[in-house]
Amino acid sequence: MAYMKTTTYTSGVNVLASEVGLVLKTFEGTQAMAIQVDDKKIIKAGTVVPANNSSAKGIVFEDVDITDDEKKPISVIIAGRVIKENLPVTVDSGAETALKANGIYFD
């Protein structure tokens, strides 16, 4: 499966508060995580993965275009500081507790 495709679109908002203590891990992104933006399916930076509940493991680091793929590797913040107000959705209290336990701090 080839990932070599050049596409131009606007970048999302910054969700990272500080690079100090930042730990990223590669997760598998799916189209079910994406939202429709014009004619594209985008996994937005700041999306809680795998779900916005007590099973949360991390937060998507940057926007990912998954229009042409069912699954795609994505970078996920598993430890570090994020700007809570810049996340695309309100973080569920169960998800926030799980993320804090994993090492994510909200500013």
Side-chain angles (χ1 to χ4, degrees), residues 69-88:
D69 307 294
E70 283 297 316
K71 301 176 198 171
K72 195 172 195 177
I74 59 173
S75 292
V76 175
I77 301 167
I78 59 167
R81 301 187 79 80
V82 296
I83 304 168
K84 190 174 185 178
E85 294 78 30
N86 287 356
L87 301 179

Side-chain angles (χ1 to χ4, degrees), residues 31-50:
Q31 285 197 356
M33 304 166 113
I35 62 169
Q36 193 75 29
V37 178
D38 297 324
D39 60 340
K40 306 272 185 212
K41 291 183 180 178
I42 307 292
I43 301 173
K44 298 297 285 178
T47 301
V48 180
V49 293

